[in-house]
Amino acid sequence: MSVVRSTKVPELTQSTTTRAGRFHQGRLADGRPQALDAWRVTTADADVAARVAGLLGGEPQPNEGGGGGFAYEVLTSRESVRVLLDGPDAVAAHMVLRGSKGIVHECDGVEFLSPEEKKGQPCGCPPLLADRKVAARDGRGPTPSVDITFQIAAAPKLGTFHFMTGSWMMAAQLSELTDALERVGGPAVCDLTMELVVYTTKSGRGVCYRKPVVTVLGSPDNVAPEPPPSATPAPTPVPSAHRHGTRPAPEPEPTTPSAPDSSRLVSVDAILLRRAAQVLGTGDHQETVIAALSEIVAGPRQAAELARLRDQVGRIAAIAEQALRGRNSSLT
């Protein structure tokens, strides 16, 4: 298995494959973008929408945004989907800078793709990804536009789907991704995942968002089209935004997490704390969290786990207290 992450900048290409549907990290709700915590799929075919819902969870419904001419959407329950990528050509990208009148700079990282009078000439983009990001942030340079073409591994005959993103993190992993696909030497089974990123800034502000990650697993002869079922699904460590929202932003800058849907998320964390209390022999929820930290510190992964849990103690404790209040009020 190869998890693809890199800071190398590959030569970028452009995709022209016809779309049967698209995967999204968000949607528009009431005209406002909001990030999702599971994949959203849009399609123009009602039968495809119904099949996607059967495979990935959710229900077909009208696509209120109507983007791309796709009339239907499915808000799935999956943050990771096993897919098939047909070699390195399944990954295409270019760099784009848009102005008030449209695209003013489009390149493959080395040469201009447009405007027509500059096509084939050196684009002048910095060779390092970090320098490109600084130029884009200052409004002087283009941003990535990545297009990944794939099939759902459990139902390849359903059709070809695309995931399009402007994520700098995805752009950073393109070189290793294409190398890993080349090593497979044909169609490759991969996991397309909205990976949760959680951290605390130096100023003490909590930050969480989901970044797209492609994990190359191997050939269809050696990898199952669906991951084996988990006996006890692990709860999300920190809730992300409520699912009804967004078109994905090109690259999520650190922001304060959106308010979670307490009706769904409180029960998940309360169950987690009850299980922890049984294992650790504690009663009070604050005591459970402290005991869990102590257990982790004594383990071999102490540094990483301690940092992760320290970021989450306050949120877990608050959710636990809310769960207890809700339970007590229901009993009285």
Side-chain angles (χ1 to χ4, degrees), residues 13-17 85-93 147-150 162 177-178 181-182 186:
T13 56
Q14 198 165 10
S15 172
T16 57
T17 309
L85 271 67
D86 193 9
D89 289 343
V91 182
D147 185 353
I148 300 176
T149 307
F150 57 90
H162 286 244
L177 172 56
T178 54
L181 292 171
E182 186 70 43

Side-chain angles (χ1 to χ4, degrees), residues 58-271:
E59 295 290 338
Q61 61 188 39
N63 180 14
E64 296 176 0
F70 295 144
Y72 306 96
E73 70 174 8
V74 180
L75 302 179
T76 78
S77 60
R78 301 281 289 275
E79 64 183 32
S80 184
V81 178
R82 191 148 290 183
V83 299
L84 287 172
L85 271 67
D86 193 9
D89 289 343
V91 182
H94 55 292
M95 304 288 293
V96 178
L97 175 63
R98 291 179 170 85
S100 59
K101 297 182 179 180
I103 295 176
V104 297
H105 178 127
E106 182 180 20
C107 69
D108 62 6
V110 179
E111 297 179 345
F112 277 107
L113 299 172
S114 69
E116 189 63 33
E117 62 271 16
K118 292 184 178 180
K119 188 173 182 179
Q121 298 178 19
C123 61
C125 287
L128 297 180
L129 191 69
D131 294 335
R132 294 186 186 182
K133 190 171 184 179
V134 170
R137 185 173 296 169
D138 293 342
R140 298 180 288 103
T143 58
S145 178
V146 181
D147 185 353
I148 300 176
T149 307
F150 57 90
Q151 298 164 298
I152 297 175
K157 293 183 179 179
L158 192 58
T160 299
F161 293 86
H162 286 244
F163 169 58
M164 302 179 70
T165 178
S167 168
W168 285 99
M169 292 181 181
M170 178 61 74
Q173 67 171 292
L174 288 180
S175 181
E176 287 193 18
L177 172 56
T178 54
D179 287 348
L181 292 171
E182 186 70 43
R183 288 194 296 271
V184 174
V189 182
C190 307
D191 281 342
L192 177 62
T193 304
M194 291 168 53
E195 183 177 292
L196 182 65
V197 178
V198 180
Y199 66 94
T200 302
T201 65
K202 292 181 179 179
S203 63
R205 184 179 60 171
V207 174
C208 69
Y209 63 89
R210 291 185 181 270
K211 67 177 181 179
V213 175
V214 178
T215 306
V216 179
L217 303 174
S219 72
D221 295 333
N222 303 320
V223 181
E226 282 287 346
S230 174
T232 305
T236 302
V238 175
S240 62
H242 188 274
R243 180 166 292 136
H244 299 293
T246 147
R247 185 190 297 166
E251 175 69 11
E253 295 296 332
T255 56
T256 302
S258 301
D261 179 355
S262 59
S263 64
R264 175 171 60 88
L265 298 172
V266 166
S267 61
V268 173
D269 285 298
I271 291 171

